[in-house]
Amino acid sequence: MTRHIKRIVKTGFLLGAAFAVFTALLVLSLRWINPPSSMVIQHWEWQSERKAQHRWRSLDQISTNLQIAVIASEDQKFPSHIGFDFSALQKALSENRKRTRGASTITQQTAKNLFLWNGRSYVRKGLEAWFTLLMETLWSKERILEVYLNIAEFGEGIYGAEAAARSHFGKSAQHLNRWQSGLLAAVLPSPKRMSAKYPSDYVQGRAYTINRQAQQLGGAGYLKTL
């Protein structure tokens, strides 16, 4: 019995080590290789039997207005944290809400969208934490933001800043103005229910607040802290 338990422990350790090495190498390679898709995009395409709107653009081809807008909206401590905003998490838990999106950082959202499936389980949250740590260790903040902006959902079947800009405003992501960027950032919590192209009063109010917060952070100059 003791020998059998030791064999199980050894096998588990080897499998865990292999998983750690494989995922670390995968994340490291994506520091330079642009992912052609994401798990969330593939799941939507499989479920809808349609092709998602998705075009990759480098960070310098995405308006700084949108870059600072999503930071102001989703994760104002993005330049300084190590992947987790523990103060936001504690606040979210103390509010006893079912949804705790405000506690999820840009890095966590990128890890979830790129590598994982939708749902709520301890296994998925553990994997999300692991990939978040790998990305924060192996990628620059600019790379994390670049990948995030290229795979985030901005509408039904619309993924990434370029597809969103062209679908909603008929222009490239590089030429988005402050108001358009604020509208795109405003719909991120629920892009299937809210529209940047036909914004409700609520979305417009959120966009105004986001743009005001972006200016308070320092506007495009805040991006230099990355």
Side-chain angles (χ1 to χ4, degrees):
M1 181 63 70
T2 302
R3 186 179 302 172
H4 184 62
I5 293 174
K6 286 182 178 179
R7 187 179 296 115
I8 293 175
V9 171
K10 183 178 180 181
T11 301
F13 175 79
L14 291 175
L15 289 174
F19 173 79
V21 171
F22 172 77
T23 52
L25 290 175
L26 173 63
V27 173
L28 180 61
S29 68
L30 293 176
R31 178 174 179 172
W32 301 283
I33 301 172
N34 297 330
S37 184
S38 73
M39 288 296 291
V40 167
I41 294 174
Q42 290 181 25
H43 180 265
W44 183 89
E45 290 181 334
W46 174 79
Q47 194 174 50
S48 66
E49 298 183 340
R50 292 159 54 193
K51 182 70 175 177
Q53 298 181 52
H54 178 235
R55 301 184 187 183
W56 184 275
R57 289 293 182 267
S58 61
L59 194 60
D60 60 5
Q61 293 177 309
I62 298 175
S63 171
T64 55
N65 291 316
L66 182 58
Q67 294 180 42
I68 187 61
V70 297
I71 291 175
S73 171
E74 299 292 289
D75 185 4
Q76 294 187 12
K77 296 180 181 178
F78 176 63
S80 58
H81 65 58
I82 58 170
F84 307 95
D85 187 345
F86 295 105
S87 60
L89 178 60
Q90 184 177 19
K91 180 180 179 181
L93 291 174
S94 66
E95 291 175 350
N96 195 28
R97 293 181 177 181
K98 291 183 179 180
R99 295 181 72 254
T100 56
R101 181 180 176 86
S104 184
T105 66
I106 284 176
T107 314
Q108 287 176 280
Q109 292 179 48
T110 306
K112 178 188 68 176
N113 292 340
L114 185 58
F115 297 111
L116 303 174
W117 61 93
N118 290 321
R120 294 175 180 273
S121 70
Y122 289 115
V123 172
R124 197 196 66 79
K125 292 301 291 184
L127 289 172
E128 177 186 307
W130 170 247
F131 280 110
T132 295
L133 288 172
L134 286 178
M135 290 163 54
E136 284 283 344
T137 302
L138 300 174
W139 293 4
S140 65
K141 289 288 186 177
E142 291 93 335
R143 180 58 172 170
I144 295 171
L145 182 61
E146 181 178 56
V147 175
Y148 173 77
L149 286 170
N150 273 285
I151 63 174
E153 184 181 16
F154 289 97
E156 182 69 34
I158 302 171
Y159 295 89
E162 182 68 16
R166 292 189 179 277
S167 176
H168 295 321
F169 306 116
K171 60 171 62 177
S172 70
Q174 192 169 18
H175 298 116
L176 289 168
N177 60 35
R178 284 181 56 199
W179 180 242
Q180 292 163 342
S181 297
L183 289 173
L184 288 176
V187 305
L188 283 172
S190 188
K192 288 184 173 67
R193 288 194 307 105
M194 297 186 284
S195 172
K197 188 174 185 178
Y198 306 107
S200 63
D201 290 342
Y202 173 76
V203 171
Q204 292 184 58
R206 269 185 57 84
Y208 175 81
T209 300
I210 289 168
N211 283 330
R212 177 167 51 80
Q213 292 175 336
Q215 287 302 108
Q216 290 173 347
L217 288 174
Y222 188 68
L223 299 172
K224 295 178 182 179
T225 60
L226 300 182

